[in-house]
Amino acid sequence: KPSINVPTAGTAIAGGRSITDPAGDATWPNTSGGTNLPGADLLGASLAFNAGQLTGTFTLADASATGMAAAITGYNNVIQAEPPAARAQYVLRFNTANDTCYMGMDVDSTGTQTFYDGVLDPNSKVTNGASTLAAAYRPGTGEIATSIVNNTVRITAKDALCGIKSGTPVYSVSAFSMMGPSDAQNTLIANTMRVIDATAPMDIVLGQNAVAASPSPVVVASPTPTVPPLPNTAGRVISAAGLGLILALLILGPLAFLRRRPAVRL
């Protein structure tokens, strides 16, 4: 029986999971010939729920104020159709059964940092003037605690962000580094945030002894055809006449059915 194994992303940590990301892939333009931006180069991320609080982290190759400001400069040094970036935005995004939630940090060209958490809602939409095409991660008003230590940004939501508690499954947990306009200007798709780097997504059941929320391996079994028993299975011999009748029914039956089909009028 063939099977399909769904890989479990990330590594278990207390109350959640963490994941690593290759170094040197935060290039702009996003091509092999692009220049790597250490201040936007994600090396990993994590999400965990412990002691009644939700904590998210993401690690950069250079999370210093000067390093992140230099990433904005490096992005703007590339000639492109979009206006120059006013900020770098770093977001740890995840889905619950009902909401898309996030923790984030903005850094402007001077290195000034702003931390926040939030939930996508109608105010998050980015449009082409008529239709919604993308979402903006706008600063929320939740109470948070933050720190940056050894290039790891840590954001702890002190309130019940998205109603999360121990045992809550969350999906597509992923960190993003982006460049683009200020939040006030991030409303039209022609001038919105551009993704520089991202971690692979992971699914988690949050809480102590957290496990991945990814589905178990799916077993795909080939069905065994069921052959109905032939008549006369009790050892009786089918006569030549009986065999001829069976063959006639097998051959002529479908033809009779076809002749009885009503004509289709066009």
Side-chain angles (χ1 to χ4, degrees), residues 21-28 30 36-37 40-43 196-198:
D21 188 73
D25 59 348
T27 57
W28 192 259
N30 288 145
N36 187 58
L37 307 176
D41 190 4
L42 288 162
L43 303 182
I196 308 300
D197 196 12

Side-chain angles (χ1 to χ4, degrees), residues 143-165:
E143 183 182 1
I144 58 175
T146 63
S147 66
I148 302 179
V149 178
N150 295 328
N151 291 320
T152 295
V153 179
R154 180 179 301 271
I155 302 174
T156 298
K158 292 191 171 184
D159 52 4
L161 177 63
C162 289
I164 288 175
K165 56 186 179 181

Side-chain angles (χ1 to χ4, degrees), residues 59-138:
T59 301
L60 296 167
D62 186 354
S64 66
T66 54
M68 291 184 284
I72 300 174
T73 300
Y75 173 89
N76 288 337
N77 283 340
V78 177
I79 298 175
Q80 50 197 320
E82 293 78 19
R87 60 171 172 156
Q89 185 177 39
Y90 307 87
V91 169
L92 181 67
R93 184 188 70 187
F94 50 95
N95 298 322
T96 66
N98 301 309
D99 294 300
T100 296
C101 318
Y102 54 91
M103 298 172 166
M105 175 181 71
D106 286 2
V107 179
D108 65 18
S109 58
T110 68
T112 301
Q113 301 156 0
T114 304
F115 301 86
Y116 49 87
D117 62 12
V119 182
L120 292 187
D121 61 21
N123 292 324
S124 307
K125 63 184 180 181
V126 175
T127 75
N128 61 359
S131 303
T132 299
L133 300 178
Y137 303 100
R138 307 199 187 283

Side-chain angles (χ1 to χ4, degrees), residues 128-226:
N128 61 359
S131 303
T132 299
L133 300 178
Y137 303 100
R138 307 199 187 283
T141 58
E143 183 182 1
I144 58 175
T146 63
S147 66
I148 302 179
V149 178
N150 295 328
N151 291 320
T152 295
V153 179
R154 180 179 301 271
I155 302 174
T156 298
K158 292 191 171 184
D159 52 4
L161 177 63
C162 289
I164 288 175
K165 56 186 179 181
S166 184
T168 298
V170 291
Y171 307 95
S172 298
V173 182
S174 187
F176 299 85
S177 63
M178 299 173 280
M179 299 285 172
S182 66
D183 181 64
Q185 297 295 318
N186 188 21
T187 59
L188 294 175
I189 197 67
N191 184 24
T192 191
M193 305 302 293
R194 309 297 186 204
V195 175
I196 308 300
D197 196 12
T199 63
M202 53 184 174
D203 300 334
I204 313 168
V205 177
L206 292 167
Q208 289 301 119
N209 302 317
V211 297
S214 299
S216 300
V218 178
V219 177
V220 181
S222 300
T224 301
T226 301

